[in-house]
Amino acid sequence: MILPVHESVRTHVARLLTTIYALDENAQPTVALEYPPNRELGDLGTPVAFELARRLRKAPRAIAQEIAGAFGTLEGVRTVSAAPNGYLNFFLERRAFLLDRLRQREVKRHPTTGKAIVEHTAINPNKAAHIGHLRNSALGDTLVRVLRFRGIPVEVQNYIDDTGVQVADVVVGFRVIEGKSLDEIREIADSTRFDYYCWDLYARVTDWYGDDKERLAVRAGTLHDIEHGGNDNAEAAAFIADRIVRCHLQTMARMNVDYDLLTWEGDILRLKFWAQAFDVLKAKKAVYLRTDGRLKGCWVMPIEDDEANPKSQGANEGTEDDEEREKVIVRSNGVVTYVGKDIAYQFWKLGLLGRDFHYRVFTERSHQGTAQSGSGRQGPLWATCTSGGRDDHPLFGGAAYVYNVIDVRQSYLQKLLKQALIAVGHPEGAERSHHFSYEMVALSHATARELGYAPPPDSEDAKRPFVEVSGRKGLGVKADDLLDTMIRKASGEVAKRNPELSADETDRTARRIAIAAVRYFLIKFSRGKVIAFDLDEALSFEGESGPYIQYAVVRANNIFQKVQQRDGLDEAALLGSLPDVPAGELTGENGDHELWSLVLEASRLDEVVEQVIRTLEFSVLAKYAFMLAQAFNAFYHRSPILNEERDDVRRWRAAAVIFLRNQLTQALDLMGVAVPARM
C-alpha cells in the first residue's frame, strides 16, 4: 500500500522545512503529493516549493533544490531530485517496496476514535425487494467494507418500518379484500413465495383505493390498530413483517450483504423513544404547538430555508406559505409522524437519547459471504425488542459517526435530523451525521423488453431514455428475478467457455459472476446519477464490468499456476528467492518502467479507499479496479511471462502478477465480489 510512504515523505519534508526555513508548525504549507506523468520523472512529486515561493521570495526551483540538497536519507526513498519546473520528485526503492507489500498481506490499520453506524437497505416489509433496493444495499455494504478496511469498527443496521402505511396496506389486502384470518395468512406464507404474493396483493390494494377514495379510511383505521397493538390487525401486521423480512434477508445474502442489527420501528414506539426525544425538543424550544391556522393542534418544527426544502423557496411571510416553513412532528390527533420517529432513532444512534432497546436473536447466520473485509460473519443476527431479550448482546448504538444510506428523495428529511440535533445543543452530532444519498434505478429499453416490462411502442414512456418502474403499481423488477436472470445468462456463458465443468461448478461460478455483474454496475456510476440497468452491459466479459475484473484475477491466478508448474516454485519459494535475483526488470534497467508502473498503481488501493471515504463516491473505487485490470491485461499482452526465457525477468513479472492479483482481489472484495476459480 502507498499511504505509509506518503506519510513518511510528508513527515520528513515537514521536518526539513522547519530546519531549513525555521517554519513553525502553524506556518507549514501542506505537503501535497502527486504522481509525475511518467516514472522517468519520479514516483512521487510535491509542489511544496510553489507554496513557499512568495513567502520566501525565491524561485520554486531554487527552493526545491535546497530541500533536495538537505533531504538526506529516508527509508524507502532511493533518490530525490528538483525538477526544472520547481517540483520536488522522489524515486522509491523498488525492490524493497514490492517485497514489503508481498510479505505484508494485512493492511496497516489506522486508530479510530469510535465506531460508525451504517444504516442501509431499510425495505418496507410488505413485499419482495426490487432492483432499487439492490442499489441501496450495494452502496451501503460497500461503505461498510471500506470503513472496515480503513480500520474503523462498523455496526450495520437495517431499519424495519413495521408500523408504516405500506404494511397496513397489505393487512388491508389480506383482511378486507381477501377476508383472510391470521391462520389463513400463515398458511399462505407457508405454501407460497410469500414476498411475491404480497407484491401482487399490494398492487391490488393500490387499485382498490383508487376505485373509491373513501376506502382510505380503512387504511387509517388499520394503521391505528397496528400502532396501538393488542388486536387482530396488529398481530397480522407483525406476522407479515417478520416473514417478509426473512425473505429480504435471503435476497440480500445472495448479494453478500449482511447486518448486525435489525431495528424495528414498532419498538421505538412501544419503548417511547419518541416521548424522550419530544421532551428534549420541547425543553429546547425546537418544536412548538400551533394554536391556529391549518396546522392548529400540531407540534411543528420551524424549517430553515434550504434548497432541500422544495417549499421553502418563494414563500411569502404573512401567507399560508408560512405554514410550509413548519414540519409537522406530531399531528393534532397525537400521532407522531415518521420525522419524529427518525429524530428519536438518530438521537439513539449517537448515544444522545438516554434510553435503549431490549435485544433478541432474530436468526443465526451461517453464510460466509466474502471473507476478507468481514462481511458474511457467522453468529447471531440481533433484533430490537420491547421487553425480555438477552443480556449477552453486543453494545449497540452510541456511535461516533452515523451514515444513513437513503435515496436522494429523503434529503429534506435528513437535513431535518441534523437541524434537530443542532436545535437541542448537539451541533457535533449533526456534524457526525451523514446522509449517503443516491438516485433511482430504472431499466434500459433492451432490458425492459427482456424482462417483460417494455412500455407500449407508441407511448410517451417509450420515448424516454430509460424505463421507470413502480412497485406500488406492481410494475417493477423483483430483486430475485433479476439475480435469477443474471445467473441463468452467466451460466450459459460459463458452460460455453468451460464445457468440462460439472453442473454444480458451472452454477457456483455463474452465481459469483452474476453478483459481480450486478454489484459492480450499481456502484460504477456516480451515486447522484439515475441508473438505467442493462443486463448485457452488466454481464459483459469485455467492457467496464465486474466480470471483466474477475477475469483479470482468474487470468493472473492461471499465469502463476503455470509458472509454478514450469519452475517448481510455489509462491513462498518465489518470494524467498527475489532478494537475490537481479531486479533490472523492476528498476527499469532492462529498458522500460512498465512493470514498476503496474506495481505502483496497484499499491494505490488504500489511497483510493481514503478518497472514497472522504467523498462517499464509490464510482472512484469501481473505476480504479477496472483501470487496474485493463493495465494488467495490456501488460500481459506486451510482456510475456510464461514464454519469457530470462529467469530473473520471469520471476519479477510473476511477483508483480501476485501483487496485482492480491490488490484486485481485495478491491473486488470491497465491492462485495468474490472471484471464481474458472471463467
Side-chain angles (χ1 to χ4, degrees):
M1 299 298 188
I2 196 67
L3 286 183
V5 176
H6 284 200
E7 184 178 349
S8 175
V9 169
R10 285 197 184 98
T11 301
H12 191 76
V13 171
R15 192 179 300 117
L16 286 174
L17 297 183
T18 300
T19 302
I20 301 171
Y21 303 114
L23 296 176
D24 63 34
E25 217 173 276
N26 296 328
Q28 289 271 1
T30 301
V31 183
L33 292 176
E34 303 171 4
Y35 296 90
N38 64 69
R39 301 287 70 80
E40 294 282 357
L41 297 175
D43 301 320
L44 294 172
T46 178
V48 69
F50 296 92
E51 296 289 326
L52 292 169
R54 178 172 295 181
R55 193 185 317 177
L56 299 178
R57 298 184 179 181
K58 289 184 179 181
R61 181 181 181 182
I63 296 172
Q65 288 173 335
E66 289 173 350
I67 298 173
F71 193 85
T73 61
L74 179 65
E75 184 179 1
V77 176
R78 178 169 54 88
T79 58
V80 181
S81 69
N85 63 2
Y87 266 80
L88 187 67
N89 292 330
F90 309 91
F91 297 81
L92 303 182
E93 289 281 4
R94 297 182 180 182
R95 183 200 296 264
F97 184 92
L98 178 55
L99 291 180
D100 285 348
R101 279 144 191 81
L102 285 169
R103 291 167 182 153
Q104 179 192 318
R105 299 296 296 273
E106 288 296 319
V107 181
K108 286 185 178 179
R109 310 299 185 183
H110 295 263
T112 182
T113 56
K115 75 177 176 184
I117 285 177
V118 176
E119 181 217 324
H120 69 80
T121 304
I123 309 171
N124 288 317
N126 68 321
K127 61 180 177 12
H130 59 62
I131 187 173
H133 298 133
L134 293 185
R135 188 176 197 190
N136 183 301
S137 63
L139 288 168
D141 184 63
T142 304
L143 174 59
V144 171
R145 291 165 180 267
V146 298
L147 289 173
R148 286 179 175 158
F149 176 88
R150 178 66 170 73
I152 299 171
V154 183
E155 181 179 304
V156 191
Q157 297 185 7
N158 185 356
Y159 185 81
I160 311 299
D161 183 3
D162 57 323
T163 64
V165 169
Q166 291 79 8
V167 173
D169 284 347
V170 177
V171 173
V172 169
F174 277 118
R175 304 276 294 165
V176 179
I177 296 178
E178 295 192 339
K180 303 293 185 185
S181 67
L182 179 55
D183 286 341
E184 289 172 318
I185 297 172
R186 286 195 178 102
E187 186 177 341
I188 291 171
D190 291 338
S191 60
T192 66
R193 177 69 192 266
F194 192 57
D195 55 341
Y196 279 38
Y197 187 99
C198 292
W199 176 288
D200 295 333
L201 180 59
Y202 182 59
R204 287 168 54 200
V205 173
T206 301
D207 293 340
W208 188 71
Y209 291 146
D211 292 340
D212 185 353
K213 297 298 183 185
E214 292 187 2
R215 291 171 175 169
L216 290 171
V218 179
R219 169 197 276 174
T222 303
L223 190 59
H224 180 273
D225 288 346
I226 293 171
E227 289 179 343
H228 286 78
N231 55 72
D232 291 344
N233 282 338
E235 285 187 38
F239 173 78
I240 291 165
D242 180 273
R243 278 299 184 94
I244 295 293
V245 166
R246 294 180 190 277
C247 293
H248 292 167
L249 292 176
Q250 291 176 355
T251 301
M252 294 306 157
R254 301 178 72 184
M255 288 278 289
N256 295 326
V257 173
D258 202 0
Y259 313 92
D260 298 311
L261 178 68
L262 305 180
T263 311
W264 294 73
E265 183 175 277
D267 295 323
I268 292 176
L269 294 174
R270 289 184 288 271
L271 290 169
K272 302 189 183 304
F273 276 24
W274 164 244
Q276 179 82 1
F278 192 29
D279 287 344
V280 174
L281 290 167
K282 286 188 291 186
K284 296 290 186 178
K285 301 188 184 315
V287 297
Y288 56 87
L289 181 67
R290 286 285 302 201
T291 57
D292 56 14
R294 183 169 55 85
L295 301 181
K296 182 179 179 179
C298 297
W299 284 88
V300 299
M301 176 184 290
I303 298 168
E304 299 172 0
D305 283 353
D306 195 285
E307 67 276 6
N309 177 11
K311 296 180 180 179
S312 69
Q313 298 184 17
N316 298 311
E317 289 191 19
T319 72
E320 191 175 271
D321 287 335
D322 274 350
E323 294 180 345
E324 303 297 353
R325 295 187 179 185
E326 301 166 329
K327 183 64 180 176
V328 174
I329 307 299
V330 181
R331 298 188 181 98
S332 58
N333 61 1
V335 175
V336 59
T337 64
Y338 68 96
V339 179
K341 288 177 280 191
D342 282 349
I343 288 173
Y345 183 34
Q346 191 75 3
F347 284 8
W348 172 81
K349 287 179 181 176
L350 291 164
L352 303 175
L353 189 64
R355 293 192 181 185
D356 199 4
F357 297 100
H358 297 270
Y359 300 95
R360 61 191 169 98
V361 172
F362 187 77
T363 188
E364 290 287 342
R365 298 173 294 191
S366 59
H367 64 278
Q368 291 294 328
T370 51
Q372 289 190 32
S373 53
S375 185
R377 292 176 290 172
Q378 292 184 317
L381 169 59
W382 293 88
T384 60
C385 60
T386 306
S387 61
R390 288 171 48 167
D391 295 331
D392 60 341
H393 62 83
L395 294 176
F396 293 113
Y401 304 93
V402 173
Y403 297 87
N404 295 328
V405 184
I406 307 175
D407 73 52
V408 70
R409 293 170 295 181
Q410 299 298 317
S411 295
Y412 173 45
L413 167 62
Q414 292 298 307
K415 287 184 178 293
L416 286 179
L417 299 186
K418 300 182 79 165
Q419 182 180 322
L421 285 162
I422 293 170
V424 300
H426 289 288
E428 79 291 344
E431 186 69 24
R432 294 184 281 117
S433 298
H434 304 281
H435 176 204
F436 190 128
S437 63
Y438 62 93
E439 267 290 359
M440 58 171 268
V441 181
L443 304 176
S444 70
H445 282 277
T447 294
R449 285 192 298 272
E450 185 167 348
L451 296 176
Y453 294 100
D458 56 346
S459 67
E460 286 299 314
D461 288 340
K463 300 174 184 177
R464 303 190 66 188
F466 48 75
V467 178
E468 291 189 38
V469 290
S470 170
R472 182 175 292 276
K473 298 176 182 177
L475 300 174
V477 180
K478 301 180 186 72
D480 283 313
D481 285 350
L482 175 71
L483 297 178
D484 290 344
T485 300
M486 297 294 285
I487 291 169
R488 185 171 60 252
K489 291 170 74 75
S491 183
E493 186 67 24
V494 171
K496 183 173 68 176
R497 291 168 175 249
N498 303 276
E500 75 284 0
L501 290 182
S502 68
D504 286 346
E505 290 174 314
T506 298
D507 180 68
R508 185 162 50 250
T509 300
R511 288 178 184 276
R512 289 193 168 190
I513 292 171
I515 298 307
V518 173
R519 287 198 56 146
Y520 186 86
F521 195 96
L522 292 174
I523 71 168
K524 77 172 183 176
F525 299 98
S526 170
R527 59 190 172 92
K529 179 181 176 62
V530 175
I531 291 178
F533 190 89
D534 187 87
L535 291 168
D536 292 333
E537 180 183 345
L539 203 52
S540 171
F541 279 50
E542 302 298 332
E544 185 182 350
S545 69
Y548 176 86
I549 303 169
Q550 283 178 312
Y551 189 72
V553 178
V554 170
R555 170 176 279 171
N557 277 327
N558 291 339
I559 289 171
F560 184 72
Q561 287 170 8
K562 291 177 180 177
V563 169
Q564 183 176 348
Q565 291 168 3
R566 168 176 169 160
D567 296 339
L569 291 174
D570 61 14
E571 185 173 324
L574 172 66
L575 300 185
S577 72
L578 289 175
D580 300 319
V581 174
E585 184 68 6
L586 188 66
T587 59
E589 296 167 36
N590 289 355
D592 64 58
H593 302 272
E594 185 177 18
L595 185 67
W596 168 245
S597 294
L598 191 65
V599 169
L600 188 63
E601 191 61 33
S603 74
R604 292 187 56 240
L605 177 60
D606 59 341
E607 181 185 1
V608 171
V609 168
E610 288 291 319
Q611 182 181 350
V612 165
I613 294 173
R614 187 172 61 253
T615 64
L616 294 182
E617 188 54 79
F618 292 149
S619 59
V620 174
L621 174 62
K623 293 186 184 304
Y624 167 78
F626 173 64
M627 176 277 301
L628 194 57
Q630 276 188 313
F632 166 68
N633 286 331
F635 170 78
Y636 169 76
H637 287 298
R638 286 194 296 264
S639 304
I641 300 172
L642 299 175
N643 296 326
E644 174 57 56
E645 293 300 325
R646 292 170 293 177
D647 181 69
D648 59 322
V649 173
R650 187 171 65 256
R651 291 189 183 217
W652 281 109
R653 288 179 182 175
V657 167
I658 293 171
F659 180 57
L660 183 131
R661 176 203 65 190
N662 295 345
Q663 296 295 89
L664 273 181
T665 300
Q666 179 72 80
L668 285 170
D669 185 74
L670 292 173
M671 293 183 277
V673 173
V675 179
R678 303 278 295 276
M679 287 186 72

